[in-house]
Amino acid sequence: MGMSTLHRFLVAACTSLLALQILQAADPLRVFIRGGVKTHGPNQHDHPRFLGDWTKLLGERGIRVDGSMQFPTEAQLKASDVVIIYAADGMRIVGEERTRFENYLRRGGGLVVLHDGVVAGDQHEWAKKVQGGAWRWDGDKKTTWHEGEVGLYFVEPENPIVRGISNFDWKDEVYNRMDFAPDIDVLAVSFVDVFNIWPQIWTHQKTWEGGTTPYRAFVSLPGHEYDVFNTPHYRAILLRGIAWAGKRENIDEFCKPAELASLRYPAGGPKPAAEAVKTLQLHPEFQVTLAADENVAKKIMSLDWDPQGRLWVVETPEYPGGRDVNKNDFKAYWNWARDPKAFPVGGKQPRKPLDRISILTDTNGDGVMDRQSVFADGLELPTSLVFYKDGVIVSQAPDILWVRDTNGDGTADKVETLYTGWGTFDTHAVINNLRWGPDGWIYGAVGYTRGRVKSGDGSKDFGDIAAGIYRFRPDGSMLEQIAAGGCNTWGCEVAPDGEIVFTTATCGEPICHVVIPEKALARGQVGGLKSFLNIIEENKIYPAFAEKRQPYVQIDWVGAWTAAAGATIYDGGAWPEKWAPEDRYSFFMGEATRQLFHHEFLDPKGSTYQGRKETGRKETEFMASTDYWFRPIHSRVGPDGALYVVDFYNQIAVHNDTRGPAHGARNAAARPDRDHQFTRLWRIQHRDARPLPPYSLPAGDPAQLVKMLAHPNGWVRSTANRLLLEIQPKKVGSQLANLLKSNPSRFARIQAL
């Protein structure tokens, strides 16, 4: 083919494509609405109202609309691209009506079925064949329904009909135990208890017998309450479904911008941070502001600051199962069972892991992080990080990794395994909460997954490590147990004077203090004695609202601490003396299952401490929320003296559900409501916080680092300590001795040691 011929061919092809697009835009979609008589109570099953309202709405959107309270005639079907059925027993189509409807399907006509329109009476099998699922009336397999506050959970996020929509709750009705064809594409499910997860929105494509063109069926069960049709987010889904069934190229052709804008934060779903902050009930001495959200990161699980003061975060959108494939998860994600190559049972999804470590910055000075720089990606289920030399040490069971940037370009280029052998069975019981101690060791927590830990190269065996607290050398040379028997430990704090306080879940010991390390007990041959004491004032919580929905009620320790997470002693140097760690500790932790963030003073009591809630606030939490997506899991004190709270912002914070539903990958209960996108980082500062002196932490200036050991901010002191340990300077001995002898701060003197 010559160049001129090729040119003419390309011009003709482009012209034809453009003409086709113009023709489609000029040729309106033709829709027939099959209505029916009203049934049920006020504002329910109002089929005539839908016929009138949506005839007008679709017409205003450029669609040619016809409709009737009766089944369409042959002429009406020939003049339709999509038939919408919203009528009681709408799919009970028999006789001549069935004949002409099947002819309509044979030519590829589209179908949209809403709510009770799916019911087909005694024509169950035929209806199932047409729309991919049908109401069952037979015996113990009978379809059931539930009215009230229900949720929609979107399990196929890349499907264009539901792309961008978040899960939400509303007042409507769900159908359970319908009879489904195996080849439907499930877009959304619901569940009113943890044992029953059933499709509520799906699509079905097939070529009817004798036909040459496949038809498309879009089925959406919401619609018991008429109000659902007036919500902008559901209206967008329904309009997209109509466009898809009509084979329109632009799925959003009939949606208004406001409807599409409502998808990310639908009513009854996640709130934008500006609204979520209004639900936080905070101690009156403090104020809370946003530091970061899903606009700059996904599913923050842990954080720290580098010597320049930049915020680093661990992002774990893969939680809880990672890429692992367990057939029990098919109960929530129906489509996975149809694609064994993408979801091989007992194996891993063949894709790159999504977790990462990122650096977040605030470029405009408004206090909210707005720029992300990825330091390391391709991680899978990391939980924590600490800085070390040219990178970060990361807990990612079964390993503890040193993720390095050897050329200084800001991106990791080398990963070394320091330790391996940690358990991976249950991701909410793995290694977590790494902390530097003033002694040059890194401390961390582990839950009941435990570990048989070895050095990265396998040459050293450090033995069995039980649930509790451990510590290790950053060079991979040594690891040992500090406190064992800590149930499911998900919090570790090294106090400014070196004491260890940690949190545990589901065993009635939320706040624990290490009194005598395991090594000392072993050396003294003391048996039957724990290395730690539970020091909380009372094992009772005071949430901001009562939760009654079965999937979301608290389990295990109801009304008490089920999931204590994170552990922070305030040592920021900015808050008034009442909160300073001089005569006592101010201790903070989260309870993610009941949306609260807790504070206790830890008063000295002999060789240990005793927790005490603030006088006048015994039955009030430091911070609680009425937004059930609020899930505080971690906290740290920053270089600015503020307290930062990691909010995993998720519908659910239940991992191992002891009520007995099926459990899937990494022992997480099979549920459709685990969000993998949203995140919040809240900054809490005292209203009378005092400004801190500036800090400077140059790794090449040991004398300056020694000065920083006396800074009022604990993060500054510990970072200076770490940098000194890394560079091992030989000319600061006299400076350290002088600090040790003369500095009035005992915490500075401890760091000097």
Side-chain angles (χ1 to χ4, degrees), residues 406-588:
T406 61
N407 61 11
D409 67 353
T411 303
D413 52 44
K414 186 175 184 180
V415 178
E416 299 181 20
T417 301
L418 300 177
Y419 301 92
T420 192
W422 295 100
T424 61
F425 168 66
D426 186 312
T427 32
H428 92 310
V430 296
I431 48 175
N432 61 86
N433 275 261
L434 301 182
R435 291 285 198 279
W436 273 100
D439 53 4
W441 292 69
I442 297 171
Y443 291 74
V446 65
Y448 51 71
T449 59
R450 306 166 60 96
R452 176 75 187 193
V453 185
K454 297 182 178 181
S455 57
D457 61 6
S459 63
K460 298 179 181 179
D461 189 335
F462 303 108
D464 291 323
I465 302 297
I469 302 297
Y470 56 90
R471 69 175 185 172
F472 61 89
R473 292 290 190 187
D475 61 1
S477 62
M478 185 61 190
L479 184 145
E480 63 184 21
Q481 186 101 51
I482 296 296
C487 196
N488 194 18
T489 310
W490 196 273
C492 172
E493 175 68 302
V494 180
D497 56 1
E499 297 287 341
I500 308 296
V501 183
F502 63 96
T503 56
T504 68
T506 63
C507 58
E509 298 178 327
I511 308 176
C512 300
H513 170 235
V514 179
V515 182
I516 305 177
E518 295 292 340
K519 186 162 59 175
L521 290 175
R523 189 164 54 242
Q525 298 183 349
V526 179
L529 184 66
K530 282 187 174 181
S531 59
F532 62 90
L533 286 177
N534 176 35
I535 58 175
I536 196 168
E537 182 176 42
E538 64 170 348
N539 189 10
K540 191 174 182 180
I541 59 174
Y542 300 92
F545 68 99
E547 179 60 82
K548 297 180 179 179
R549 296 169 299 166
Q550 194 262 13
Y552 297 103
V553 295
Q554 191 179 27
I555 60 175
D556 299 328
W557 289 77
V558 178
W561 286 89
T562 290
T568 298
I569 290 171
Y570 182 75
D571 185 23
W575 295 0
E577 294 304 317
K578 168 184 173 181
W579 305 94
E582 292 297 334
D583 300 323
R584 69 184 73 83
Y585 297 145
S586 267
F587 181 81
F588 297 87

Side-chain angles (χ1 to χ4, degrees), residues 52 69 150 193 206 238 327 346 350 413 427 528 676:
M69 299 285 281
V150 296
D193 65 62
K206 65 185 301 183
L238 186 49
K327 66 179 180 180
D413 52 44
T427 32
H676 302 279

Side-chain angles (χ1 to χ4, degrees), residues 305-312 387 639 695 697-699 715 719 723:
W305 293 263
D306 65 16
Q308 292 75 44
R310 297 181 303 172
L311 175 64
W312 291 49
F387 290 96
Y695 67 87
L697 296 163
W715 173 86
T719 301
L723 293 172

Side-chain angles (χ1 to χ4, degrees), residues 32-37 51 67-73 76 97:
F32 183 92
I33 302 176
R34 168 24 173 149
V37 298
L51 175 59
S68 171
M69 299 285 281
Q70 307 299 323
F71 195 79
T73 65
Q76 288 171 323
E97 290 180 350

Side-chain angles (χ1 to χ4, degrees), residues 741-753:
K741 293 177 182 179
S742 61
N743 196 281
S745 169
R746 63 189 175 103
F747 302 141
R749 297 195 299 271
I750 289 172
Q751 294 286 357
L753 286 173

Side-chain angles (χ1 to χ4, degrees), residues 244-307:
W244 177 85
K247 302 178 182 177
R248 306 295 280 193
E249 183 176 343
N250 178 10
I251 200 78
D252 294 326
E253 180 180 354
F254 308 116
C255 298
K256 289 187 174 181
E259 292 163 345
L260 296 175
S262 72
L263 295 176
R264 193 181 196 191
Y265 302 106
K271 301 177 185 295
E275 295 299 318
V277 71
K278 299 174 184 177
T279 72
L280 298 175
Q281 301 172 2
L282 180 63
H283 191 295
E285 292 184 27
F286 295 83
Q287 56 188 3
V288 57
T289 55
L290 181 71
D293 66 4
E294 57 276 2
N295 291 303
V296 73
K298 293 181 179 179
K299 290 327 233 193
I300 296 174
M301 186 170 284
S302 188
L303 75 161
D304 204 349
W305 293 263
D306 65 16

